[in-house]
Amino acid sequence: MRGGCSTTRPPLRAKPCCEENLDYLERIPRTSRKHGSLTLEHYTEIKEYLSSAFDCVHHPLGYLLDGLVGVFRLTYCGIGVHPRLLVHAVEEVRSFCHRLYELVRILFPDLPHSSKPMVLTTLGDIESPDDFFDVTGECITPNTLIQPVLLPRLYPSLSTLYALNNEQEDRHYWERLLKWNKQSDLALMTFLGVDEKFMSLKFPDKIFTMERNRVSSIKDECFTNAIDALQHISTAFTAFDKLQAIRQTFEEINKEVQKGLGDFLWNMDDLFPVFQYVVVRARIRNLGSEIHFVDDLMERHFQNGELGIMFTTVKVSNMFNNLLHIMHSSQICVQCGKL
């Protein structure tokens, strides 16, 4: 990929509104009776209104967003696109999110300040989002509110820049994946150092006494739900949704292990090789680009706690794949030298 924009995902644009929708948009929802009493129900109403407003070219917000997207695409899409523009594009996206959020707060003053994220639950609000993934609710930040309406429109241009910026790294990574995915499940797990107790989830017999033909024929049958969950990282538009896909992957791994081993207590020595297997089998061609995308557009407070550990594991997994390839290549060179 040397230039231009991806054609697999055509950019979204604001659309003309039907008369019924225009009537709905004419009146800004009254989300609360007094300042500072925002509830989960009110916030859901705000999101629905903003989604319709940003999607309607006749609404000032939709007209504004359409103009911003047009300028962004003219700047970062076309034959002159270059990976060095990525840092500027990311800064513009951050600026768009912040300024649009401040504009929306004029319409809905109950929304929290951009520097003070809030989590709304059915039980009330939580001032800090650090424990967000331990509760059921909505985390309110400029990115979680604005990115879902902004990034789907910018994603073709933005993903092209990330692909160009990580082109060499992603190409080498994909070559390794193609090679490793030729192996059977047992061979790949053994290569990655997966503990035998996890292999026994799929191979209930003594794995080293099974018929060789039978073992070598089993492929792409382990941790399938986790693999499917991780593949959603490529179809998500926002950093938050990509983080959700990563979180779902770990949950699916845990479910499958608990189904076979009961209430299992994880440690990183056990978890990391299993996750490595899932990453390899997921066959995400541009994993490096996806990681950089999340790293650039994820809000810093999401690095805390369980979610931060999960995302760090993904980054380390990508780095470990590179290291594993280098170590394996070095061993081959040493053996050839001895011969």
Side-chain angles (χ1 to χ4, degrees):
M1 184 181 293
R2 287 291 177 187
C5 288
S6 172
T7 57
T8 57
R9 289 180 176 178
L12 302 177
R13 297 182 65 88
K15 300 173 290 188
C17 304
C18 63
E19 185 175 345
E20 181 179 344
N21 201 30
L22 284 173
D23 292 338
Y24 166 69
L25 292 174
E26 280 184 352
R27 183 176 180 181
I28 299 174
R30 186 180 180 184
T31 57
S32 65
R33 296 183 178 179
K34 61 179 181 178
H35 182 71
S37 61
L38 186 64
T39 65
L40 184 59
E41 182 182 358
H42 294 149
Y43 181 63
T44 302
E45 188 177 355
I46 290 174
K47 289 203 304 179
E48 291 175 353
Y49 178 84
L50 290 177
S51 178
S52 298
F54 279 119
D55 204 37
C56 177
V57 72
H58 300 301
H59 193 282
L61 289 178
Y63 183 79
L64 172 62
L65 183 62
D66 200 45
L68 291 175
V69 170
V71 171
F72 187 92
R73 284 183 51 79
L74 286 173
T75 306
Y76 300 108
C77 185
I79 59 174
V81 67
H82 192 278
R84 290 186 181 275
L85 295 174
L86 176 61
V87 62
H88 303 289
V90 170
E91 286 301 319
E92 283 209 42
V93 171
R94 290 172 179 165
S95 177
F96 287 171
C97 288
H98 178 76
R99 288 185 292 167
L100 285 172
Y101 183 79
E102 292 301 322
L103 185 61
V104 167
R105 283 191 72 230
I106 297 175
L107 301 178
F108 303 101
D110 285 338
L111 291 172
H113 192 274
S114 58
S115 62
K116 296 181 179 179
M118 177 186 294
V119 174
L120 292 177
T121 70
T122 54
L123 302 177
D125 63 273
I126 302 174
E127 291 296 333
S128 172
D130 292 350
D131 299 324
F132 167 63
F133 287 96
D134 296 328
V135 297
T136 301
E138 290 272 6
C139 182
I140 308 177
T141 69
N143 284 355
T144 56
L145 183 62
I146 302 300
Q147 279 191 9
V149 295
L150 176 66
L151 287 185
R153 295 165 167 84
L154 303 182
Y155 200 86
S157 304
L158 205 53
S159 62
T160 298
L161 287 171
Y162 274 103
L164 289 172
N165 190 61
N166 298 281
E167 185 176 15
Q168 185 174 358
E169 175 188 338
D170 286 341
R171 185 177 68 251
H172 292 324
Y173 175 75
W174 182 242
E175 290 172 356
R176 291 194 298 275
L177 284 192
L178 292 177
K179 179 180 178 181
W180 292 349
N181 274 294
K182 294 177 182 177
Q183 305 299 320
S184 66
D185 284 347
L186 182 58
L188 181 59
M189 285 183 170
T190 303
F191 173 69
L192 295 174
V194 176
D195 194 279
E196 184 177 338
K197 60 178 172 286
F198 302 116
M199 299 184 192
S200 65
L201 296 175
K202 184 63 185 178
F203 308 101
D205 303 326
K206 293 184 178 180
I207 57 177
F208 297 109
T209 61
M210 294 173 64
E211 296 179 8
R212 181 174 298 179
N213 291 337
R214 181 185 171 193
V215 173
S216 61
S217 65
I218 298 177
K219 186 178 178 183
D220 293 306
E221 294 187 16
C222 298
F223 297 101
T224 54
N225 290 336
I227 292 169
D228 290 341
L230 187 59
Q231 288 172 340
H232 289 155
I233 195 175
S234 299
T235 59
F237 287 115
T238 71
F240 187 76
D241 289 340
K242 292 179 187 293
L243 289 172
Q244 288 280 47
I246 294 170
R247 178 173 180 261
Q248 184 64 31
T249 301
F250 281 96
E251 288 183 351
E252 293 296 340
I253 291 174
N254 191 47
K255 286 179 184 177
E256 187 158 345
V257 170
Q258 286 188 341
K259 190 183 300 183
L261 301 179
D263 192 11
F264 182 76
L265 182 62
W266 285 100
N267 60 67
M268 192 53 71
D269 289 337
D270 285 332
L271 176 61
F272 189 73
V274 173
F275 185 73
Q276 278 284 99
Y277 168 83
V278 172
V279 170
V280 172
R281 283 295 194 233
R283 299 174 176 86
I284 300 173
R285 185 165 192 147
N286 298 317
L287 182 61
S289 298
E290 300 289 358
I291 290 173
H292 287 298
F293 180 95
V294 175
D295 222 3
D296 288 340
L297 297 176
M298 173 180 67
E299 288 170 307
R300 297 303 100 184
H301 49 261
F302 286 133
Q303 293 180 347
N304 302 328
E306 185 181 64
L307 189 64
I309 295 174
M310 292 176 179
F311 181 57
T312 300
T313 304
V314 177
K315 292 195 288 186
V316 173
S317 174
N318 190 52
M319 295 170 59
F320 184 74
N321 280 341
N322 297 334
L323 180 61
L324 199 61
H325 173 70
I326 294 172
M327 292 172 60
H328 185 64
S329 300
S330 300
Q331 290 176 356
I332 294 176
C333 292
V334 170
Q335 291 174 359
C336 291
K338 289 181 179 179
L339 294 175

